[in-house]
């Protein structure tokens, strides 16, 4: 594995190996001195053309804790804001002798395109509405830590599926790991061609959250991405919450062993209430913590270890 561009790049063994290594990296986070020398002398550039807090910070911490030299470049304040193209930007950065580019871009497929232009390792940190493979890895890692082997577990991914890059990566990886997946959304936020897609990939979908909820081992709530919406996808925020939010009443229908996930940032009171976000079964903060460990593992396997 030269790059990590899609969850489809990962076999079951690849994913389990990354998660096993992440468990070891997680132990580093609990040490007083959080440093490993494995990427000493390597240079990682985080190229973020969209705003990010969790992903960019966790990649930066991951690289530094592995002793790599980490440089952050954002579109604001770079030559991109002066009109420089993506190709010229990445080729300029790569010409400085960097070893890896971690890229977030608003255009789907941008990281894949970058691999044609540079020799550096490329990690997709989110491209448009396409994919976010390291998010899927940390979600699976977090759920596995609580639920055990995900084979046969039932995961519901609920919310704004049309505008989400998380849903595709999670769906691909969870199916690779043997989980049963059900996508849940109102008709206006369900991806087009869902029937054909579900038949090919082997997952189910539903417009009725209440019917699916009691059957789940994990409920993954997705953010309503208002910034990507140009029309009226639902009448009012309250009506969305009534139909598809994880509310106090729905918590009672969720099986006691089931866990709650959210890739963040959360719209509290819209797709998830405070009761659900702060519940004992909520893994939201566990996901944030796992993000550093998983991204340490990804960088290690691509740059320092055997992929």
């Amino acid at each position: 594995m030269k790059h990590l561009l899609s969850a489809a790049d990962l076999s079951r063994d690849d994913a389990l190996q990354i998660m096993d290594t992440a468990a070891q990296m997680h132990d580093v986070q609990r040490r007083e001195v959080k440093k490993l020398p494995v990427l000493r002398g390597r240079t990682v550039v985080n190229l973020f053309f969209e705003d990010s807090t969790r992903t960019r910070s966790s990649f930066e911490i991951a690289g530094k804790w592995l002793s790599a030299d980490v440089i952050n470049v954002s579109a604001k304040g770079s030559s991109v804001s002066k009109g420089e193209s993506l190709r010229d930007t990445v080729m300029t950065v790569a010409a400085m002798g960097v070893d890896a580019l971690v890229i977030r871009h608003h255009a789907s497929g941008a990281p894949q395109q970058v691999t044609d232009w540079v020799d550096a390792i490329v990690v997709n940190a989110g491209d448009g509405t396409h994919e976010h493979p390291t998010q899927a890895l940390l979600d699976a890692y977090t759920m596995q830590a609580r639920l055990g082997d995900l084979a046969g577990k039932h995961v519901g991914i609920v919310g704004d599926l049309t505008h989400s890059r998380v849903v595709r990566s999670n769906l691909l990886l969870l199916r690779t790991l043997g989980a049963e997946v059900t996508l849940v959304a109102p008709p206006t936020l369900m991806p087009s061609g869902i029937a054909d897609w579900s038949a090919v990939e082997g997952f189910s979908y539903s417009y009725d959250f209440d019917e699916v909820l009691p059957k789940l081992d994990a409920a993954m709530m997705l953010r309503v991405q208002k910034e990507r919406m140009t029309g009226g996808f639902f009448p009012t925020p309250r009506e969305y919450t009534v139909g598809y939010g994880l509310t106090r009443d729905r918590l009672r229908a969720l099986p006691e062993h089931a866990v709650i996930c959210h890739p963040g940032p959360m719209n509290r009171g819209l797709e998830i209430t405070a009761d659900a976000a702060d519940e004992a079964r909520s893994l939201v903060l566990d996901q944030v913590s796992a993000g550093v460990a998983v991204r340490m593992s990804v960088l290690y396997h691509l740059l320092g270890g055997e992929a």
Side-chain angles (χ1 to χ4, degrees), residues 239-260:
E239 287 188 61
Y240 180 86
T241 302
V242 168
Y244 295 93
L246 189 55
T247 61
R248 182 181 300 176
D249 289 339
R250 287 197 171 100
L251 278 176
R252 301 190 186 101
L254 189 67
E256 288 188 12
H257 74 278
V259 298
I260 300 162

Side-chain angles (χ1 to χ4, degrees), residues 9 70 94 148 154 181 218 236 239 275 280 294 301:
D9 295 339
V70 180
H154 189 180
V181 180
T236 66
E239 287 188 61
D275 302 274
V294 166
H301 281 287

Side-chain angles (χ1 to χ4, degrees), residues 23-195:
Q24 299 173 46
M25 298 300 183
H26 223 151
D27 290 336
V28 175
Q29 291 178 241
R30 303 181 183 101
R31 297 180 188 175
E32 186 174 347
V33 179
K34 301 175 176 66
K35 276 281 188 180
L36 293 174
V38 292
L39 295 187
R40 184 177 294 150
R42 297 284 202 163
T43 301
V44 178
V45 175
N46 294 327
L47 262 174
F48 276 62
F49 297 90
E50 284 188 325
D51 294 337
S52 170
T53 299
R54 291 162 183 78
T55 303
R56 187 164 110 169
S57 297
S58 61
F59 266 114
E60 181 178 4
I61 293 170
K64 288 180 175 178
W65 284 357
L66 292 172
S67 300
D69 296 310
V70 180
I71 301 166
N72 290 321
V73 179
S74 62
K76 296 172 186 175
S78 74
S79 295
V80 174
S81 63
K82 301 177 183 178
E84 186 174 67
S85 68
L86 172 63
R87 183 178 186 274
D88 287 338
T89 297
V90 297
M91 290 185 71
T92 297
V93 172
M96 298 177 189
V98 305
D99 298 292
L101 297 172
V102 178
I103 298 177
R104 168 166 289 189
H105 199 276
H106 53 81
S108 298
Q112 174 71 58
Q113 181 67 69
V114 169
T115 63
D116 294 334
W117 297 330
V118 302
D119 293 327
I121 288 166
V122 177
V123 179
N124 181 3
D127 59 330
T129 57
H130 180 226
E131 280 213 50
H132 195 351
T134 60
Q135 181 68 48
L137 281 164
L138 74 89
D139 290 340
Y141 172 83
T142 307
M143 287 186 281
Q144 181 178 272
R146 184 70 68 91
L147 297 172
D149 189 347
L150 295 180
K153 299 294 191 299
H154 189 180
V155 180
I157 305 178
V158 186
D160 184 359
L161 307 180
T162 293
H163 302 101
S164 175
R165 55 185 158 222
V166 171
V167 63
R168 183 180 298 275
S169 290
N170 266 286
L171 175 59
L172 289 169
L173 184 61
L174 288 169
R175 293 295 297 134
T176 296
L177 293 172
E180 178 184 351
V181 180
T182 301
L183 302 187
V184 183
T188 52
L189 291 174
M190 189 71 78
S192 61
I194 187 67

